[in-house]
Amino acid sequence: MRRILEAIRSHDDDRGVALAAVLGIGMVVMILAATMAGLATSGATKSADDRDTANAMAAAYAGLADYQSRVNADNTYATKYGDASQAFSTGDVFPSNTGGNAAFTSWVAVPDSAGASGTTFYRYAVDNSIYGQQGIVRVQVTGKAGARTRTLVANVKPDGFSNYLYWTDYESGDPAITGESCTNVYQNADYSARPSNGAAACGRIQFQDGDVLNGPIRSNDMLLICGGTFKSTVQSAQGWSNKVCSPTKTPAFQYYSGYQPEVVGSYTPPSTISAGRDRMYSDDATVIGTTPGTGCLYTGPTQITFLGNGKMTVRSPLTLATNLQKTSPYGSAPAKCGAIADLQGAGATLSTSLLANNLIYVQDEPASAGSGSATNPNYYWSTYTTRNAPSACMRSSSNLDNGLGFPYSGSIPGYSGTYAESQPRNTQGKSVSWDTTYGCTHGDLFVSGTVDQSMTLDAENYVYVTGDLKYTTNRSASTVLGIVGQEAVMVWNPMYVSGSGTAYPFLTNNRTVSGAILSNQGTFTVQNYAYGGARGTLTVNGSIAQRYRGAVGQGSNGFLKSYGYDSSLASYTPPFFPQPVITTYKVTSQIEVKAAYDPNGNPR
């Protein structure tokens, strides 16, 4: 460098200095140009990479939408179709294999705007192992764009009865409960609809001032709203009216400012709950091959008390076998369901964890023993006669006791002595026979207590909620209780009626019921709701679905409603809970995970 400077200084003019300056500037320009070219190339690469990354996730969402459309078109799709060889589906059973759906095994192109195959792709795998227990199908969807893949896992759940705080088919009462002589019809806007034979329409049941419903409401019928507060959506296939309200109150629709009820499509409830009983066969591979295995079957009047400490007690005097078999000896009594001697006696104490995510089914006493694979070992007279039957109600037709202590005898608050429960009365003022109310061969369930595990309770006749039915305070979101009474779910409300006709309730005011309640053929109602004076507030924390609208109070008698939707039911369905005949599926949660496949389709 020094020599260069000396050479430059050897000249008398500035030509050398100018040359050096030009060379220096040229070098700087060349460096800047090279840097800019490098940055431009890097930016273009990064831009393309960002685009592929975003498009890969968009392709994954397209795959999720494709699977969702398939389960909505065929409500059995989730249980029938998939590829069990995929790691995500290990242990699952798909009786119809992939059903020709290439997305289960390879990349499928996302259609472009013109409907032709685009440049992004998706594939998916499904896990239906918890569908029965929690009503959820897990879907793993991977999208591909260029050299990028991204994967998301979503929970897909049917839009069933437990997604609503309150769902009904009819907004009128159940004639079997109310005692009305009527032929039920859907109501119309002015409530003038009558059956073609001219018979009177069944009585309308209304929402009234003081009712508070904090959750989504849906009905297939015309809603009669004469007051009340509605804090979420109100939907009906027929709309709503206050046409026959007296007096007319202004309801408060508080979902958002200016909200008004919506008109939607209708749902059809299942005709029976017998699919639950089918899960009681210990020699059925499709049942014992699942994680929960068989549930517990009880016959005739059955009482369950949840203790909130991992235990529950069960009494079931007519039960002879708690599991069924299609071959001899046609039944068994697994320890998890209780020893038969204990069930027929003081009661069996069971571990609730052994029945977690499972089903308890209470059946009517069979009309006969049957034969062959249809043999039912719980036909009582196959084992006992009236002389040696341990159940009190079976010894004499004049003995009203159903084996569990119903009809009830006990004290009345504020009065001394012991009183016997009077026959319940319907809204027509007529007594309901003991055989109807507490029939000793009926599949009735009497339940109360504190629940600490997710399970469903099915009864072929009535479910009586005999006391508060709540969850433990440390309950997890997935712990959800299903309460299914095919003919009715009743809030037990026994009365003593004096000689002067005054009705005195045995129980103190107020009641709380937590869980997803369903009566697919009947109603959710309160026993003796039209008598005995004000009974305080009926608090429901969960959901109510019923074929007929059930009243819980009338005039100054019975309960006011305080119904709140349990948000856990939006994500978790009680195990083996009945679903509408036709429903839609929706995504309840989704999360991105590590990509499951590379662009060549190889698992990562």
Side-chain angles (χ1 to χ4, degrees), residues 47-64 107-108 110 119-123 140-152 592-593 595-599 604:
S47 176
D49 185 69
D50 287 347
R51 183 173 60 250
D52 285 347
T53 298
N55 287 344
M57 181 52 69
Y61 281 120
L64 179 59
W107 295 114
V108 173
V110 178
T119 57
T120 59
F121 305 84
Y122 64 82
R123 61 186 300 162
Q140 179 199 73
V141 192
T142 303
K144 181 180 80 165
R148 290 289 177 180
T149 60
R150 294 177 73 182
T151 297
L152 61 85
E592 184 173 6
V593 299
Y597 299 91
D598 67 18
R604 283 179 167 172

Side-chain angles (χ1 to χ4, degrees), residues 322-342:
T322 52
N323 270 184
L324 303 175
Q325 294 175 232
K326 296 180 180 179
T327 57
S328 182
Y330 303 109
S332 61
K336 68 179 180 180
C337 299
I340 299 301
D342 292 336

Side-chain angles (χ1 to χ4, degrees), residues 65 146 257 375 411:
S257 179
T375 298
S411 60

Side-chain angles (χ1 to χ4, degrees), residues 24-37:
I25 292 171
M27 292 176 65
V28 170
V29 170
M30 290 179 65
I31 291 171
L32 288 173
T35 301
M36 293 300 293

Side-chain angles (χ1 to χ4, degrees), residues 128-219:
N128 65 12
S129 62
I130 60 173
Y131 181 78
Q133 300 98 296
Q134 298 181 350
I136 294 171
V137 182
R138 298 175 64 241
V139 188
Q140 179 199 73
V141 192
T142 303
K144 181 180 80 165
R148 290 289 177 180
T149 60
R150 294 177 73 182
T151 297
L152 61 85
V153 173
N155 287 346
V156 179
K157 180 176 180 286
D159 186 16
F161 302 118
S162 62
N163 287 347
Y164 299 92
L165 167 62
Y166 171 91
W167 178 91
T168 58
D169 193 11
Y170 295 107
E171 285 296 307
S172 49
D174 182 357
I177 301 296
T178 65
E180 295 176 87
S181 177
C182 60
T183 301
N184 194 78
V185 294
Y186 288 108
Q187 308 290 350
N188 62 10
D190 62 2
Y191 297 93
S192 63
R194 294 292 182 270
S196 58
N197 62 8
C202 298
R204 303 170 294 273
I205 300 175
Q206 67 187 41
F207 292 102
Q208 63 182 5
D209 244 19
D211 291 345
V212 178
L213 294 102
N214 188 10
I217 309 300
R218 183 165 179 164
S219 177

Side-chain angles (χ1 to χ4, degrees), residues 206-209 224-228 240-251:
Q206 67 187 41
F207 292 102
Q208 63 182 5
D209 244 19
L224 178 58
I225 301 178
C226 300
W240 75 282
S241 174
N242 60 3
K243 179 78 174 181
V244 295
C245 294
S246 180
T248 299
K249 299 285 187 177
T250 301

Side-chain angles (χ1 to χ4, degrees), residues 211-581:
D211 291 345
V212 178
L213 294 102
N214 188 10
I217 309 300
R218 183 165 179 164
S219 177
N220 287 346
D221 202 355
M222 176 68 65
L223 291 167
L224 178 58
I225 301 178
C226 300
T229 300
F230 301 83
K231 297 187 176 183
S232 187
T233 55
V234 179
Q235 301 175 326
S236 169
Q238 304 295 324
W240 75 282
S241 174
N242 60 3
K243 179 78 174 181
V244 295
C245 294
S246 180
T248 299
K249 299 285 187 177
T250 301
F253 300 115
Q254 298 181 346
Y255 187 50
Y256 57 78
S257 179
Y259 176 79
Q260 288 295 305
E262 310 161 48
V263 176
V264 296
S266 60
Y267 277 160
T268 303
S271 58
T272 73
I273 60 171
S274 59
R277 184 178 172 277
D278 293 341
R279 292 200 55 80
M280 303 301 151
Y281 283 91
S282 60
D283 56 356
D284 186 337
T286 63
V287 175
I288 60 176
T290 61
T291 299
T294 58
C296 291
L297 175 70
Y298 302 107
T299 301
T302 299
Q303 187 169 41
I304 295 178
T305 305
F306 292 98
L307 303 179
N309 60 356
K311 303 291 184 181
M312 58 192 285
T313 60
V314 183
R315 291 181 63 208
S316 189
L318 303 189
T319 294
L320 301 175
T322 52
N323 270 184
L324 303 175
Q325 294 175 232
K326 296 180 180 179
T327 57
S328 182
Y330 303 109
S332 61
K336 68 179 180 180
C337 299
I340 299 301
D342 292 336
L343 293 171
Q344 292 184 348
T349 300
L350 312 181
S351 169
T352 55
S353 63
L354 295 180
L355 287 168
N357 297 315
N358 215 324
L359 177 69
I360 290 176
Y361 193 94
V362 180
Q363 68 172 356
D364 296 329
E365 191 207 344
S368 69
S371 61
S373 61
T375 298
N376 194 320
N378 285 293
Y379 177 59
Y380 204 74
W381 302 118
S382 294
T383 303
Y384 295 107
T385 70
T386 54
R387 289 191 300 273
N388 63 13
S391 172
C393 77
M394 303 301 290
R395 293 178 180 171
S396 169
S397 60
S398 63
N399 191 326
L400 301 177
D401 192 291
N402 72 344
L404 295 174
F406 300 91
Y408 178 74
S409 292
S411 60
I412 295 175
Y415 295 87
S416 60
T418 300
Y419 299 84
E421 177 183 355
S422 299
Q423 284 183 278
R425 291 184 289 175
N426 58 37
T427 51
Q428 307 303 302
K430 298 178 180 178
S431 295
V432 181
S433 72
W434 294 123
D435 182 61
T436 299
T437 309
Y438 304 125
C440 66
T441 62
H442 295 172
D444 290 334
L445 171 63
F446 300 79
V447 61
S448 63
T450 304
V451 178
D452 58 18
Q453 293 288 348
S454 180
M455 65 180 69
T456 292
L457 313 174
D458 282 1
E460 287 189 340
N461 197 51
Y462 295 164
V463 172
Y464 286 98
V465 182
T466 57
D468 285 344
L469 187 58
K470 301 178 180 180
Y471 296 113
T472 54
T473 55
N474 60 346
R475 165 222 184 186
S476 66
S478 61
T479 300
V480 287
L481 178 68
I483 309 163
V484 183
Q486 181 159 267
E487 301 301 329
V489 177
M490 295 262 201
V491 174
W492 188 56
N493 187 34
M495 301 281 177
Y496 164 74
V497 180
S498 69
S500 63
T502 303
Y504 297 90
F506 283 95
L507 307 181
T508 56
N509 288 357
N510 303 319
R511 189 71 57 84
T512 297
V513 183
S514 298
I517 300 165
L518 170 65
S519 182
N520 59 303
Q521 291 185 4
T523 186
F524 172 67
T525 189
V526 171
Q527 186 186 46
N528 290 318
Y529 66 81
Y531 308 96
R535 304 290 291 118
T537 300
L538 174 62
T539 300
V540 173
N541 173 35
S543 68
I544 300 168
Q546 53 195 338
R547 183 166 179 80
Y548 298 98
R549 175 81 180 270
V552 302
Q554 180 173 298
S556 60
N557 300 294
F559 293 86
L560 287 175
K561 307 179 192 73
S562 179
Y563 293 173
Y565 183 63
D566 179 3
S567 59
S568 292
L569 294 171
S571 299
Y572 300 97
T573 301
F576 310 107
F577 197 71
Q579 296 292 341
V581 174

